Amino acid sequence: MFRIVHTRQISDAVFEMGVEAPRIARKAKAGQFLMVRVAEGGERIPLTFSDWSAEEDWIRFIYMRVGKTTHQLSHLSVGDELADVVGPLGTPTHVEGVGRVAVIGGGVGAAVAYPVARAMSAAGARVTVILGARNAELLVLEDELRALPGVTVNVVTDDGSAGEKGLVTAPLKRLCEAGALDHAFAVGPAIMMKFCAATTAEFGVPTTVSLNPIMVDGTGMCGACRVTIGDQIRFGCVDGPDFDGHLVNWEELMSRQRVYVDDERVADADYQRECSCHK
Amino acid sequence: MSQVDESGLSGQTPAEKPRHKPSRAPRTPMPERAAAVRRSDFEEVAFGYSAEQAQAEANRCLQCKNPTCEQGCPVNIRIKDFIAAIIDGEWTDGVEILKERNALPAVCGRVCPQEEQCEASCVLAKKGEPVAIGRLERFLGDHDLTCDLEHRCTPQIAEPSGKRCAVVGSGPAGLACAGELARLGHSVTVMESLHAPGGVLSYGIPEFRLPKAIVAAEIEMLEVMGVTIECDQVIGRIATVEDLMTEEGYDAVFIGSGAGLPVFLGIPGENLNGVYSANEFLTRVNLMRAYEFPTSDTPVWRGRKVAVVGGGNVAMDAARTALRLGAEEVFLAYRRTAEEMPARKEEVHHAIEEGVEFKMLCSPVEIRGRDGWVTGLVANRMELGEPDESGRRAPVCVMDADFEIECDTVISAVGTRANPLLHDAAPDLELNRRGYIVTDENGATNLPGVFAGGDIVTGAATVILAMGAGKKAAAGMHRWLTDA
């Protein structure tokens, strides 16, 4: 069991949770993820580290309340326990020698963008963060990102309620046009990553994306997370989650992410009916 | 309990015992649930022998002077003696004899391919039907599990050696190794990457063939013997083998991480929705209990028409699981004929009984789909040609893309390979060309104090071969720990 040591509601549907996990905290690296199972009978869901402390033995992750499991998570408090937390999984993000880099975080993708920007900056990169969300309410970790030394932050919202109005691809394109980028790193909804990769491809800027396919075990055992990269089938959990954005088969990824939408609705509806604390 | 009797093969019986007169009755059938009933639920297929049935079957044993059956057993169980105990009605003695050599008798009695091992070597098999050794093993194993924990047969544990061993992976190899090391007096910690121990016994083999309560009960016994099991520990990520030997202070490490990575067919359409690796399909259903969805939280796509590709036990498990999830039709596509199938005869028989339709000499070349979902499996018609390296006649294509099986689900059960995480666990470990660990005859790897066994050494094989390898490595580790 893993004891919860921190909870924070970031926005209406976005939360941060910290758990005591000394072994994981000692090994965590930017870009890696966890598999979390809330309780007996629960599903295993992949969640990316937002922060960790090897000295204080904790790890943190950010999640959006979308289905049954994330609803359950949001109802837990400090002192409660999670049945299982497994990690650190996946290959760490390559942060060395990326030069002038744009780190694009869309929605809860900012949870990954934050440690990646921090690690790249620490490794000597010149980091411009492009933080995007549908509206100001849904912006995640803006203050933390702004507090990173030497990191520039551009905020973009669909409705213009914060920062620039529009899509993250607009400032990304400007950076490309100015010839001010050696590398881009994008994490967020698949559709956003697809368009970021399409934007940088025009300018030949190498682009890493952090994919979020469906996973079951997260350790390479099942292949649910397989993605097509160029002409190769790769596993998101062990070969990724980072891949060359210009080689990803985006249509396939987005189609595969929708396999269980009906089931997820059933599970969530069932839970909402049964859960007495949820009004 | 007596010391392990290494001369067991010569098979002495106490002189004062009355001569055993073998019965000439036919092999006692295994009581089973009717196919029409069992194909729609996940309860176990076979009930197991009653005491009367077990004794009737045991009485068929000739109690040979030279019990050849024992040479057929990968862990050298003293088969003759445990059968003699059943003849005498001494269940506890029988369990003790089994547990000298096999920590998981209730598991092995169910899933070992006895027809290729002990039963194939039974003298009776030459002229008729061999003694049902596997069913007798299961009878004793189950008998032990009906007792309270404190009354169950616990192997005698040697004096503590003061040595600490880490076992990576809690599948058959790891559990057998852990049990043996504990018996020899070493402190053992098993590290499992999933949230439940058992490896393939938990995620792979379905409930209707191996109830998870049986797996849990056998593992509980290991814990009584002092073995610690830590779940959620992915070695290679949370710690390397070197970390275990240095920072964490283990004196020896056994790697039994299995051949976990599924192989796909390498044909167009493989990433359509509705295409599963058998590993994913079975993990969702067995480990995550998707058949209880939405009571359990993990869903599985329940196909109406399901095509399973492959001819091994995993293919049979997947096909029979698909039936139980409510499929109207389940096809099994195999490129050779039923004769060449690597699956156990019993599993093939059960699958046919339950209504799985076998499409033989059929080699898939494409998965067709519409709107991202599977609609059919296109296959070549094959015939059998000359024998290949495996000794089986090789399938040769006679008709390209000859036919299409209409289906909404395709499950690929064509094998597994080594997980690349292994390289992160121990970068200096010597691997062969296929990515499996190279060991000597004692299970020792090229790294001092690091041993390995099971599928991660041999490639995908059986539960009992993995257990045999785990035990052998435990003996090697014991020598290494006590010589040092």
Side-chain angles (χ1 to χ4, degrees), chain A residues 2 23-24 27 32 37 41-44 68-69 72 83-91 214 216-217 219-224 226 228 233 235 238 252 255-256 259-260 263 266-267 270, chain B residues 193-195 203 230 232-234 237-240 243-244 248 260-262 264 270-273 275-277 279-280 283-284 288 293-301 372-373 419-421:
Chain A
F2 293 79
R23 293 189 84 183
I24 302 176
K27 293 283 178 173
Q32 288 187 301
R37 200 175 69 124
E43 61 177 341
R44 297 166 66 97
K68 175 175 175 181
T69 303
Q72 281 177 314
D84 303 279
V85 178
V86 187
L89 297 169
T91 307
I214 289 174
V216 183
D217 63 286
T219 64
M221 206 185 78
C222 82
R226 63 192 186 276
T228 303
I233 291 184
F235 286 8
V238 286
E252 181 186 280
S255 169
R256 289 182 62 79
V259 178
Y260 301 103
D263 293 312
V266 169
D270 253 37
Chain B
S193 68
L194 294 172
H195 57 261
Y203 74 75
E230 292 181 354
D232 298 332
Q233 309 294 324
V234 184
R237 291 289 191 236
I238 203 160
T240 62
D243 291 340
L244 296 177
E248 305 197 19
L261 209 77
F264 285 89
E270 209 151 34
N271 294 346
L272 286 164
N273 292 337
V275 182
Y276 281 116
S277 72
N279 261 16
E280 180 187 355
T283 299
R284 282 182 180 274
M288 307 308 296
F293 182 86
T295 306
S296 68
D297 292 345
T298 305
V300 66
W301 162 245
W373 287 82
N419 191 317
L421 273 177

Side-chain angles (χ1 to χ4, degrees), chain B residues 40 42 65 114 127 129 159 174 235 245 293 325 327 341 364-365 406 424 447 453 462 472:
Chain B
S40 51
F42 279 82
K65 206 165 207 167
Q114 293 99 7
K127 286 192 175 160
E129 290 185 300
E159 284 297 304
I235 303 305
M245 300 278 284
F293 182 86
L325 289 174
M341 276 190 177
V365 290
E406 189 197 323
D424 299 328
L447 304 179
T462 62
K472 196 175 65 179

